[in-house]
Structure formats: structure tokens, C-alpha cells
Amino acid sequence: MLAWVAAIAASLTLPLVSAAAQPGHHALRGSAMKFPAAGDLVSVSAVTPTDAWAIGFNTEILHWNGGNWSRVNSSSPRAAVLNAVSADSGSDAWAVGFYTRSTGSPAEHTLTEHWNGKAWSVVRSPVLGYLGTQLFAVTALSRNDAWAVGQYCAPQRCFNSGVKSQTLILHWNGIRWTRVTSPSPCGGNNSLAGVAAVSASAAWAVGSCTSATTASTRPLLLRWNGVRWSAAMGPDLHTAVNYVSAVTGVSASDAWAVGDHYLADGLTQTTLILHWNGRTWSRVPSPDPGVRYNILTGASAVSASDVWVTGFGGVGQGATLLILTLRWNGNTWSQVPNTAGAIAGPLAAVSADRPDDAWIVGPPMATGCSCPLAIHWNGVRWSQSP
């Protein structure tokens, strides 16, 4: 599982229980949609109301045609994991992750798959030959412009100096994937969990990095200006543990990064939303409906006055974890009631292509349920896949 997800999961000791109604969380209304049996869904990308993709950790790829979800054959190697999907048209989509060449092999390799409108196929990507080489996020801007990000670990650095993961960024130019130099400013782990691009000269990659000396974790915010990637300074959050999990952009001077922020007690987590104004990142106030846990893991922007983020929250030990959805109206962030269901893991993703078309996907809604989470917003209400 992703390094940042594992870190979040390690901090949670909540035994999950069945779904239960909670104040401020409304049960879903609307007709049920047919949904094939699948594992945990980890990423979604909506192109139009009749064209969306979702993927799961087991390299499962699902397609939405406006009425049903159907399974589409993946060309992934046998020992593979897909972590993210992004589509910019009906004939141009990317899914990324990693694979091992043989059972028990310690080396992991980048995995990139492309949809050409008819079939998914594996596209060759750089072979680094390192441990822990994984892609966690992808953004497709056009047929000749896509980014994929993650991490890698060079053995000589991992084992000899205490330095762990380094940032990894790949770029697609329409012909091939190439590795692009990227900063790894922290002496400990440096990992990228999200990427977004709005033009050939404006893109962001976000994640978290850990100090080798203090063990503190802070947001890792990188920016592409058309020539190089550089680290952008974020606000001082005044605590030692902060994670950024996703990013979305509207324009070169309007982007959002989301995650979670630990309070001084080291236990309570609050939502963390950062805004890029073209010069600096600043924290923007956001709701924290959960008493103890409020974590954001996905982001998707429709416009400057319509941005969606999602994650999960809970009230404390033994509490149900609820899907948490927030929406930006151009002035403030507010909670959007969507579901009273519990989720079985710390991950949820969102994709919106217009105000009346948004998807949230994630793990099963309740303990013991094999049905993954997939809920749709049509501009008026949510509908839930069974």
C-alpha cells in the first residue's frame, strides 16, 4: 500500500463497525446502479457523464458508460498493482502502478498502461532497477502530455546512509515515458502521492517527506514551470506530523492540495487544505466534523468556484469511519452530506468533470461487505452502486 496511506493507517486504531446513521450525514437516495463484484477501488477519473474509469489494487479496471459499470481487460503483468487512473478523452487514459518481475523479487518496477479507445495496453516506462519503485498518481493533460509520480529507493542509499525513498516523476511526450529530475529535500522518506497539470508549463506534484534527524513529517509541494521541478514553500503548520495526499488545479495561479494535520496532542487529525495563488501555498480553513479523525485523500476541481475533496473521518476509538466530502464554492469550504456508510480502509478518491457529474470511490462501505464504494453526484443528489 502507498507509503502515506500506510502511515495514516498506522495511526488509526479504530475497529470498524457496520454503517449507522450519524448526525450531519444523510443516507443516499436514488436508484441503485449495477456494479460488478470488485476489490477496493482506489482511483476514479470522470471524462463525461457517460465515460468514467475506476481501478482497484488488484489491477481491476472498470468503465462507466452512463448506465452501468463493466469490467475491462487489463494488460497488467501478473504480480502488479494499479494505484491511479486519469483520462482526458474517450480515447486517451492512463493507469499507473508497479509490478515485480518474479514472485519474491525485492525489486519493483514502474507500470504504465494506456487506453486508446479500444483496449488497454502496457506502455514501456523507465526501468530504474531500484527497490520500492512505485507510481502512485497520474494526470493526463493531452495525448502528448502526461505526468506520473511516486517514489523509488536506491539500495546503496537505503541500506548504507539511512536515506529512504526519493521522489520519482515520469513524463509522457506522446512517444515515450522519460524520468524528469525532481527534488527530494528531506533526509528521510520523500514520496509523491498526487499530481495535477493545467498546461504544459503549470503542474504540481505533492506528497510528504520525513526528516532523518527529527522524524517530523511535512508536506512536500513541488511545482513544474515548463522547464524544471522545484520545491515550493508551504505554510508553517507548527506540528511535527502533516501529510498531503492529493492535488488538483484550475489554472497556473489556482491549485489545491489536501491531506491531514496532526494537532499538538499527536493524536487528533484535522483536515488540511492548502491553496496555491501563483506565488505561495497558504492554509485555508476547512470543516472537521469528526471529533478525532479528519483525513482528506482526494481532490478534483471543476472551476475556480467548484472544487471537490474527499476522505474519511471518525469521532474516536471504536467509531464508524464515515466518508467525508467537502466542496469549495469560491469563498468557503463546506461539508456535503453523502453517505452514512463505514469504509474499510483509509482511502477515498473523487473526480468531477462538471457541477452535475462527480464520482467518489473507495473500499467496501461496511465491514464484511465485498461491494466497493462508488457513489455518483448528479447535481441534486447522490446515487449509490450496490
Side-chain angles (χ1 to χ4, degrees), residues 248-335:
T248 187
V250 178
S251 68
S253 59
D254 188 2
W256 296 92
V258 305
D260 62 282
H261 164 72
Y262 277 74
L263 298 185
D265 62 9
L267 298 173
T268 305
Q269 291 162 278
T270 65
T271 57
L272 175 61
I273 299 184
L274 305 177
H275 183 251
W276 171 257
N277 65 3
R279 299 179 302 278
T280 60
W281 289 96
S282 59
R283 187 176 185 183
V284 178
S286 53
D288 290 301
V291 174
R292 187 169 177 183
Y293 303 108
N294 298 273
I295 298 172
L296 300 175
T297 55
S300 183
V302 178
S303 68
S305 59
D306 190 7
V307 185
W308 295 81
V309 300
T310 192
F312 65 100
V315 298
Q317 188 70 25
T320 298
L321 292 181
L322 301 176
I323 292 294
L324 171 60
T325 304
L326 308 179
R327 194 176 189 183
W328 174 257
N329 64 4
N331 295 302
T332 60
W333 285 98
S334 59
Q335 185 180 6

Side-chain angles (χ1 to χ4, degrees), residues 22-77:
Q22 299 270 331
H25 289 76
H26 300 174
L28 296 175
R29 296 177 295 168
S31 59
M33 294 173 286
K34 294 181 180 179
F35 199 86
D40 294 357
L41 298 178
V42 298
S43 182
V44 62
S45 182
V47 184
T48 69
T50 59
D51 187 5
W53 294 96
I55 64 168
F57 271 124
N58 57 352
T59 70
E60 200 151 37
I61 300 180
L62 305 176
H63 183 254
W64 171 254
N65 64 4
N68 297 297
W69 285 98
S70 59
R71 189 175 286 105
V72 180
N73 290 334
S74 165
S75 58
S76 299

